[in-house]
Amino acid sequence: MAAGNEVTLIKLDSEIEFSNVQAKNDPNNFPWASWGTDNKLPITMAQKISKCGVLSAGIEAKARIAIGKGMRPVVITGVDDKGEDEYSFVTDADIDAWFEDNQVFKNSLSFIRNTIGYGWSHGRIILDNDGKKIARYRTDEVAKCRLKRKDDTGKITGTYYAADWAQILGSDNDKYLKEFTILEEGEEYHSLKEIIDSNATVKEFAIISRGPLGINEYYPAPAWYSCIDWVDMAIKVPAMKVAMMNNQMSIKYIITISDRFFSKIHPDWGSYTAEQKAAAFQTKAMEINDHLSGNDKAYKSIVTGSYIDPVTLKETQDINIQVIDDKVKDGKLLPDSGAANKEVLFALMINPAIMGANTFGGDYSGGAGSGSDIREAYLVQIMLMENERQMNAGIFDVVKRINGWDKKTYTVKNKKGEEVKIPGTKLCFKYPNLILTTLDKGGSTAPAKM
């Protein structure tokens, strides 16, 4: 954050009083809207994301696919035969410097990651010293942000930020809580322009982008939350496997040797002490175990005798070897894990081929994948990410108009190589992506597309 633009720590509304502990801890008494019944839902989400590999990787993959090679300023130079806009990249010293100073790639990636992982994003816009242009933009960790309760007109006028909400007491002593005036959602440019024209002294503002709210009033649910039970399944399967491996007894055989066998090979067996008999039994058991164990001992046989027990009149083996069935067979629970992983990816709207989930075959993946599967799935994924891209680009459209980039004239080359002058009203922001191709195209990727 630039020097001189540090956020001033604020106090909450001093008119709010907490008469007792119960009232103090009542979320309805706080000026912010509780995110979840205990205001800890984003913490739960973060824990599940961090523990579920397929969910964490899916969110990261979607964000990276959406951002592509990073946002770039372009101008619309015309329309092709198919009715699609034609673009040309813009090189402008002011825009390039602003992008570099504000780490646009990093902040845009964080914005999209927040939107996918938590359903919305929270950013901050900071004006320059004159209060006329946008000098800084940053994206916050949305799990640390809360929305202010709606006013009497139904508008959200502010947001709150706290690094650790467990430290927030909901009183005048909340020195770790920061409050920001919010730019009206959907009217960000006009909201900020009105503030600038009024010569307000406040220079830092929150800007948010939310997905569909559904029945929720403040915080939208991320797409993956619709399969929260499958997320729990994906988390529990490896935990169960580890517990089983740590606690199971891996015994392959039960070996029974009758006293009659030892009497045959030890004529004085009847006079042996208990210790001598135990030693003889141990020696024979080790011989049998060594005979059967090891990769080079597979399919070996043991030849032994039998006799008729004089009491039971049943045939009894001198040596009996019982093979124990492995109750924890390799692959147990993996079909459940595979199903959970797929359900999570479907909820995220990710084709499993992109994540390599179709390359293993068998019950786990449902079939083998191919380069064509991955390539086509990737192309579809780029199209599906247009919503998150547009939400992110909307922030920079505000910057464009406030900073006057839309009033410039840009000189670019059209497809014929001719230099043309394009008005700044045609300036927009796009995300170039490398496109996977087949090898007969002469390479594995084609030039960037937007």
Side-chain angles (χ1 to χ4, degrees):
M1 186 178 295
N5 285 321
E6 290 81 8
V7 177
T8 302
L9 300 180
I10 60 92
K11 294 182 179 181
L12 298 183
D13 190 343
S14 59
E15 295 180 1
I16 297 178
E17 297 180 356
F18 301 101
S19 58
N20 53 54
V21 175
Q22 182 177 2
K24 171 185 170 182
N25 293 329
D26 184 356
N28 293 321
N29 288 327
F30 296 149
W32 57 81
S34 179
W35 193 350
T37 56
D38 56 1
N39 201 33
K40 296 180 180 179
L41 181 56
I43 298 176
T44 300
M45 290 182 179
Q47 290 172 343
K48 292 187 182 297
I49 291 172
S50 65
K51 291 182 179 179
C52 182
V54 67
L55 177 58
S56 176
I59 291 173
E60 188 66 26
K62 284 190 69 174
R64 294 189 183 193
I65 292 173
I67 200 67
K69 297 177 66 179
M71 182 186 292
R72 291 285 303 277
V74 300
V75 290
I76 303 173
T77 58
V79 181
D80 62 19
D81 296 337
K82 297 180 181 179
E84 299 289 339
D85 289 334
E86 295 178 339
Y87 301 98
S88 182
F89 290 109
V90 167
T91 300
D92 181 89
D94 291 339
I95 298 177
D96 291 345
W98 195 93
F99 269 44
E100 182 176 346
D101 289 343
N102 288 282
Q103 301 183 61
V104 168
F105 183 94
K106 177 182 177 181
N107 277 297
S108 294
L109 182 62
S110 179
F111 173 98
I112 296 176
R113 188 188 293 117
N114 281 335
T115 303
I116 298 168
Y118 297 91
W120 68 295
S121 184
H122 183 284
R124 277 182 267 167
I125 281 178
I126 304 171
L127 300 180
D128 61 12
N129 291 331
D130 295 331
K132 299 301 181 183
K133 291 186 177 181
I134 298 173
R136 292 288 181 266
Y137 165 75
R138 64 167 295 175
T139 301
D140 293 308
E141 289 294 336
V142 74
K144 299 177 180 179
C145 303
R146 301 294 185 272
L147 298 173
K148 191 173 185 177
R149 289 187 178 277
K150 295 179 180 179
D151 61 17
D152 293 339
T153 66
K155 291 184 178 180
I156 300 172
T157 60
T159 65
Y160 295 92
Y161 176 91
D164 183 3
W165 279 90
Q167 299 294 325
I168 304 304
L169 304 174
S171 69
D172 291 340
N173 297 322
D174 280 335
K175 61 181 180 179
Y176 301 109
L177 187 70
K178 302 175 185 178
E179 181 182 2
F180 303 100
T181 299
I182 192 174
L183 301 180
E184 185 177 347
E185 194 173 9
E187 296 290 337
E188 289 84 1
Y189 166 73
H190 297 289
S191 178
L192 183 56
K193 185 68 165 59
E194 185 177 319
I195 292 171
I196 291 175
D197 291 344
S198 68
N199 295 315
T201 57
V202 179
K203 293 183 178 180
E204 186 164 13
F205 309 91
I207 184 169
I208 67 170
S209 294
R210 294 185 292 176
L213 287 170
I215 62 173
N216 298 325
E217 188 174 5
Y218 290 96
Y219 306 101
W224 65 266
Y225 211 73
S226 63
C227 69
I228 188 65
D229 291 337
W230 284 107
V231 172
D232 288 337
M233 173 72 77
I235 294 172
K236 289 176 180 178
V237 167
M240 290 177 63
K241 293 284 285 187
V242 170
M244 291 162 64
M245 293 180 69
N246 288 339
N247 294 287
Q248 71 169 324
M249 296 177 63
S250 300
I251 301 174
K252 182 65 176 177
Y253 305 107
I254 293 179
I255 301 174
T256 304
I257 307 176
S258 69
D259 279 354
R260 187 179 180 87
F261 169 80
F262 289 106
S263 297
K264 291 180 181 179
I265 59 176
H266 297 279
D268 300 328
W269 181 254
S271 63
Y272 277 23
T273 64
E275 290 76 10
Q276 290 176 314
K277 290 183 177 180
F281 178 89
Q282 184 66 25
T283 300
K284 178 53 66 176
M286 290 297 296
E287 288 179 3
I288 296 173
N289 190 66
D290 291 342
H291 182 77
L292 296 176
S293 301
N295 293 334
D296 59 335
K297 311 293 178 59
Y299 305 109
K300 279 200 169 185
S301 302
I302 289 182
V303 179
T304 183
S306 64
Y307 64 96
I308 302 298
D309 188 292
V311 177
T312 63
L313 300 180
K314 291 183 178 181
E315 184 177 16
T316 302
Q317 301 290 330
D318 285 338
I319 299 176
N320 181 53
I321 301 175
Q322 179 184 354
V323 180
I324 299 177
D325 182 31
D326 184 4
K327 300 299 182 183
V328 190
K329 291 182 169 58
D330 186 34
K332 185 178 178 64
L333 298 179
L334 288 184
D336 299 314
S337 179
N341 288 346
K342 279 192 170 183
E343 291 293 337
V344 173
L345 292 176
F346 291 154
L348 283 170
M349 291 189 294
I350 293 183
N351 190 316
I354 293 179
M355 306 299 293
N358 277 20
T359 60
F360 303 109
D363 293 336
Y364 185 82
S365 68
S370 67
S372 296
D373 292 337
I374 297 173
R375 182 174 60 254
E376 297 305 316
Y378 173 73
L379 294 175
V380 172
Q381 193 66 55
I382 291 175
M383 291 186 285
L384 289 176
M385 296 308 302
E386 189 62 24
N387 176 62
E388 286 80 2
R389 288 176 158 190
Q390 291 289 344
M391 291 171 67
N392 185 218
I395 294 173
F396 299 94
D397 287 335
V398 175
V399 179
K400 171 186 71 176
R401 299 178 68 180
I402 294 296
N403 287 8
W405 298 343
D406 62 330
K407 294 179 174 61
K408 291 186 175 184
T409 298
Y410 300 95
T411 301
V412 296
K413 289 185 178 181
N414 59 21
K415 285 195 172 183
K416 296 180 181 179
E418 303 167 335
E419 286 192 350
V420 294
K421 294 184 180 297
I422 305 295
T425 53
K426 297 291 185 180
L427 178 69
C428 55
F429 303 95
K430 295 294 180 180
Y431 309 77
N433 282 88
L434 286 175
I435 304 300
L436 299 173
T437 65
T438 54
L439 294 180
D440 59 1
K441 302 293 184 182
S444 60
T445 59
K449 301 292 183 181
M450 292 173 283

